[in-house]
């Protein structure tokens, strides 16, 4: 999927910080923005993957855990020293487990809340002064359709993503006076190498998530939507974008073809 670009020459003066950059949608977003001429700071925990991505794309790799205050402070200092950024793209997140609430694993819930909610809050809080000072700053949060409708076995992920969705809406209200653009992109079923595997911990179980779905979204599909949203002229705010494969009319309505 390729969406039309907007004023690619202007991208030469644009700088984005992208979290979750070592895999999946985060990695694809780094590639999409770098290809469009953006300067990109690629942020994730796995330094080896980031170094390879930086070599391939020209992005600046920065290994950090966004749930750790010291890592966030070090990232902010590095970006500041390099001239700052006008766009923060929060993609780091994820799901663990598919248990019912009656069988909920406290460690899974704790991890999901820390990464999806507290991590997003910490890095956003740190970069807000820089984005305000820029005068035309943008924050884009990648949530999920799990933030819009609950489903059985999704309680922990629903709770984390509903919270991230609410935080995004609050941020938009709080920062509009600073001309800060706040965007939410909520993908449905996206096929990536790690999301379902990390959630379920088993390759066979992960494969069943996508079984029979002819064309799930890809990481590149979502990255193209993210790039489009942040590349529009700054006065245009796409408050909320829900993006699903055609086969998925709702979280509970997914067409699978017989194999």
């Amino acid at each position: 999927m390729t969406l039309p670009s907007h004023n690619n020459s202007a991208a030469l003066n644009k700088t984005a910080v992208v979290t979750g950059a070592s895999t999946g949608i985060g990695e694809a977003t780094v590639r999409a923005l770098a290809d469009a001429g953006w300067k990109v700071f690629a942020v994730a925990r796995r330094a080896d993957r980031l170094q390879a991505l930086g070599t391939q794309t020209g992005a600046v790799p920065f290994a950090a855990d966004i749930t750790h205050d010291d890592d966030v402070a070090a990232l902010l200092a590095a970006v500041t020293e390099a001239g700052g950024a006008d766009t923060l793209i929060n993609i780091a997140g994820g799901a663990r487990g598919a248990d019912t609430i009656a069988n909920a694993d406290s460690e899974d819930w704790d991890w999901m809340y820390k990464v999806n909610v507290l991590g997003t809050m910490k890095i956003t809080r740190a970069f807000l002064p820089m984005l305000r000072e820029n005068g035309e700053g943008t924050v884009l949060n990648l949530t999920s359709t799990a933030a819009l409708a609950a489903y059985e076995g999704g309680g922990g992920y629903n709770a984390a993503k509903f919270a991230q969705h609410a935080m995004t809406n609050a941020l938009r209200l709080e920062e509009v006076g600073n001309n800060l653009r706040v965007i939410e992109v909520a993908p449905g079923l996206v096929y990536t190498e790690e999301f379902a595997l990390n959630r379920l911990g088993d390759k066979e179980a992960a494969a069943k998530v996508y079984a029979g779905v002819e064309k799930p979204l890809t990481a590149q599909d979502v990255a193209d939507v993210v790039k489009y949203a942040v590349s529009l002229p700054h006065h245009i705010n796409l408050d909320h974008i829900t993006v699903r494969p055609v086969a998925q009319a709702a979280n509970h309505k997914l067409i699978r073809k017989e194999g």
Side-chain angles (χ1 to χ4, degrees), residues 47-66:
D48 55 340
R49 284 181 172 246
L50 292 180
Q51 289 294 340
L53 181 61
T55 299
Q56 294 164 11
T57 65
V60 180
F62 196 97
D65 185 332
I66 63 166

Side-chain angles (χ1 to χ4, degrees), residues 27-53:
E27 178 186 348
T29 298
V30 170
R31 293 183 185 279
L33 292 176
D35 285 348
W38 288 58
K39 180 177 180 179
V40 183
F41 289 86
V43 181
R45 291 173 300 158
R46 291 178 286 185
D48 55 340
R49 284 181 172 246
L50 292 180
Q51 289 294 340
L53 181 61

Side-chain angles (χ1 to χ4, degrees), residues 10-259:
L12 298 176
N13 297 317
K14 302 287 285 180
T15 301
V17 175
V18 180
T19 70
S22 63
T23 190
I25 296 169
E27 178 186 348
T29 298
V30 170
R31 293 183 185 279
L33 292 176
D35 285 348
W38 288 58
K39 180 177 180 179
V40 183
F41 289 86
V43 181
R45 291 173 300 158
R46 291 178 286 185
D48 55 340
R49 284 181 172 246
L50 292 180
Q51 289 294 340
L53 181 61
T55 299
Q56 294 164 11
T57 65
V60 180
F62 196 97
D65 185 332
I66 63 166
T67 67
H68 292 172
D69 292 333
D70 289 346
D71 283 11
V72 172
L75 171 63
L76 177 63
V79 175
T80 301
E81 185 176 357
D86 53 80
T87 302
L88 173 63
I89 301 177
N90 291 311
I91 292 179
R96 282 192 180 172
D99 298 327
T100 63
I101 293 172
N103 297 305
D105 184 302
S106 296
E107 291 185 2
D108 286 347
W109 280 57
D110 185 61
W111 182 88
M112 285 187 281
Y113 193 82
K114 282 183 178 179
V115 174
N116 293 286
V117 183
L118 294 180
T120 299
M121 178 276 289
K122 288 183 177 188
I123 194 166
T124 302
R125 180 180 62 188
F127 276 88
L128 275 177
M130 178 185 293
L131 298 174
R132 290 168 180 161
E133 184 178 355
N134 178 272
E136 290 192 346
T138 296
V139 175
L140 185 147
N141 288 341
L142 189 88
T143 61
S144 167
T145 54
L148 310 177
Y151 55 91
E152 294 166 289
Y157 191 51
N158 288 141
K161 287 300 185 182
F162 265 79
Q164 191 184 29
H165 165 70
M167 178 170 55
T168 304
N169 288 341
L171 181 68
R172 186 180 302 112
L173 295 170
E174 292 167 356
E175 294 297 330
V176 64
N178 295 311
N179 201 35
L180 190 73
R181 178 169 63 175
V182 179
I183 302 165
E184 178 180 1
V185 176
L189 185 70
V190 184
Y191 179 81
T192 63
E193 65 174 319
E194 294 190 342
F195 179 84
L197 180 61
N198 287 343
R199 181 174 196 176
L200 302 174
D202 177 83
K203 287 185 177 181
E204 185 176 344
K208 289 180 179 178
V209 172
Y210 309 103
V213 181
E214 190 172 21
K215 289 184 179 180
L217 297 179
T218 67
Q220 184 62 56
D221 291 333
V222 181
D224 283 341
V225 173
V226 170
K227 181 183 75 171
Y228 180 82
V230 299
S231 298
L232 287 168
H234 188 268
H235 70 284
I236 302 172
N237 195 102
L238 301 180
D239 285 15
H240 179 95
I241 307 167
T242 299
V243 51
R244 308 182 197 261
V246 171
Q248 186 182 37
N251 285 357
H252 67 280
K253 180 71 172 182
L254 180 63
I255 301 301
R256 300 181 188 271
K257 295 191 175 181
E258 297 287 336

